[in-house]
Amino acid sequence: METRTRIFSVAISSLFMFSFVWFVKGNLSFNFYAASCPSAELIIRDTVSSSSSTDPSIPGKLLRLVFHDCFVEGCDASLMLQGNNTEQSDPGNRSVGGFSVIDSAKRVLEKFCPGTVSCADIIAIAARDAVEIAGGPRIMIPTGRRDGMVSVASNVRPNIVDTSFSMDQMIQLFATKGLSLLDLVVLSGAHTIGTAHCNSFRDRFQEDLTGKLRLVDKTLDSNYANMLIGQCPAGVQPSIKVNNDPETSLIFDNMYYQNLLRHKGLFQFDSVLINNDSTRILVEDFANDQELFFEKWGPSFLKLTSVGVKSGDMGEIRISCASTNS
């Protein structure tokens, strides 16, 4: 175990250095707003902290928001754009939350530093801070992302994870974003917080002739399945949600991996992580060592928030996150 962990540490350290060089080349840098808006990150953090104290579900929402934004068109706040046929109108994004937190932070930033801080950076920083506020690690991320000009609903489905994905489908999608197998397992740990609608895991059950649900996915723990059926019976209202993590739903910890080993992964694509030899080893490592999970979270989150970034002369700095400037 120690040897394997050391090997992973060396690999990630090398990856981090490569990523750092790539960020600089991409015109992203640490403390990007040091001169133009020195209080930017503090303003964003205060907004996330205040919102989270009022609504403890905010960290999970912000973490999901950054995933859905970065996987489609890159990390460019395209998901924030409103209008007909934008990314928000796709069914896969209708349950995404946290938009009001980003908008609140943007309004304050526009008062202190007008036309300076991008919505894309706000999303990335807010998600970073949300993890720490929920008990996870504090990390630094480079900034300088610019906001995209395109948001089309048809781009969503080919670029986001479907809850029924197989291991091969997961690996393939992550690879198209420049994310490795290790990144896949680490970033899946985001499911340690947040909630999901009942219909997002409905395919693991089947309605019988009496109108009751029964478990058809035998990889799921039967007691956990019965709990889910109780919370999400047949005919349940579409708005009903359950916790991704049945144990510590508001805490960013390694319980997600412990739950997987107990066959209590909420989604099908969670459960497949323990059916693959390569990913199961990582799941076991993270389940046994929270510090190791936290150590790997930083580099993987850096890579996630660098997917398809626009910088330099690309894109724009929106005045309002909901619409382009033109």
Side-chain angles (χ1 to χ4, degrees):
M1 175 73 74
E2 293 180 356
T3 300
R4 181 172 59 203
T5 299
R6 284 197 296 271
I7 291 172
F8 280 135
S9 296
V10 171
I12 291 303
S13 296
S14 299
L15 176 60
F16 178 83
M17 291 306 297
F18 172 81
S19 298
F20 177 79
V21 173
W22 188 91
F23 289 141
V24 173
K25 287 182 178 179
N27 293 325
L28 298 187
S29 62
F30 294 97
N31 299 315
F32 180 85
Y33 297 108
S36 60
C37 189
S39 60
E41 294 200 20
L42 179 61
I43 289 172
I44 296 169
R45 181 177 176 80
D46 284 348
T47 304
V48 174
S49 180
S50 175
S51 300
S52 299
S53 64
T54 303
D55 179 0
S57 72
I58 288 298
K61 291 176 179 177
L62 291 174
L63 200 47
R64 187 176 180 216
L65 174 58
V66 76
F67 272 86
H68 279 240
D69 181 53
C70 290
F71 265 52
V72 184
E73 294 290 342
C75 305
D76 68 348
S78 56
L79 183 52
M80 295 293 298
L81 291 173
Q82 297 179 2
N84 295 329
N85 199 38
T86 60
E87 292 173 27
Q88 285 192 32
S89 64
D90 182 88
N93 282 332
R94 289 175 187 166
S95 59
V96 175
F99 297 107
S100 61
V101 180
I102 307 302
D103 287 332
S104 294
K106 179 63 172 174
R107 283 194 293 270
V108 176
L109 287 164
E110 284 301 307
K111 291 180 181 178
F112 287 92
C113 315
T116 303
V117 182
S118 69
C119 301
D121 271 343
I122 297 172
I123 292 173
I125 294 169
R128 184 272 309 270
D129 291 344
V131 168
E132 186 190 9
I133 288 169
R138 170 73 173 178
I139 63 173
M140 289 183 64
I141 60 172
T143 44
R145 298 166 190 79
R146 290 173 66 84
D147 300 322
M149 311 283 285
V150 176
S151 181
V152 181
S154 60
N155 290 339
V156 175
R157 285 295 160 170
N159 288 290
I160 62 172
V161 175
D162 188 277
T163 56
S164 63
F165 267 13
S166 66
M167 190 74 250
D168 287 343
Q169 289 173 310
M170 294 270 286
I171 292 172
Q172 183 178 5
L173 178 60
F174 272 64
T176 65
K177 310 302 176 186
L179 300 171
S180 68
L181 187 69
L182 174 61
D183 297 322
L184 190 164
V185 180
V186 171
L187 294 172
S188 293
H191 285 163
T192 191
I193 57 175
T195 59
H197 286 89
C198 294
N199 62 0
S200 63
F201 53 89
R202 180 67 167 74
D203 57 347
R204 310 188 81 174
F205 301 89
Q206 189 175 71
E207 189 172 348
D208 63 22
L209 295 176
T210 66
K212 295 183 178 180
L213 294 182
R214 63 182 180 85
L215 179 64
V216 292
D217 185 345
K218 300 304 181 182
T219 65
L220 200 62
D221 176 80
S222 59
N223 290 328
Y224 179 51
N226 288 334
M227 184 191 80
L228 293 175
I229 290 173
Q231 295 176 324
C232 298
V236 69
Q237 292 294 319
S239 60
I240 300 300
K241 301 177 183 178
V242 301
N243 293 324
N244 290 341
D245 177 350
E247 306 295 336
T248 56
S249 61
L250 298 177
I251 303 174
F252 192 94
D253 54 19
N254 69 334
M255 188 60 69
Y256 166 78
Y257 301 103
Q258 296 180 38
N259 287 333
L260 288 186
L261 296 177
R262 296 167 185 154
H263 300 281
K264 294 183 179 180
L266 182 61
F267 304 114
Q268 174 62 32
F269 69 69
D270 290 325
S271 296
V272 298
L273 293 178
I274 61 171
N275 297 331
N276 176 285
D277 290 341
S278 298
T279 54
R280 185 183 178 93
I281 290 173
L282 293 168
V283 169
E284 291 172 347
D285 284 351
F286 297 150
N288 292 325
D289 190 341
Q290 180 167 284
E291 289 187 8
L292 178 63
F293 167 48
F294 283 5
E295 176 188 334
K296 306 309 180 191
W297 174 263
S300 291
F301 187 79
L302 282 172
K303 288 179 69 177
L304 169 67
T305 53
S306 75
V307 173
V309 295
K310 297 170 178 61
S311 59
D313 295 329
M314 301 172 65
E316 64 179 7
I317 304 299
R318 290 184 211 145
I319 303 304
S320 168
C321 292
S323 60
T324 60
N325 295 337
S326 56

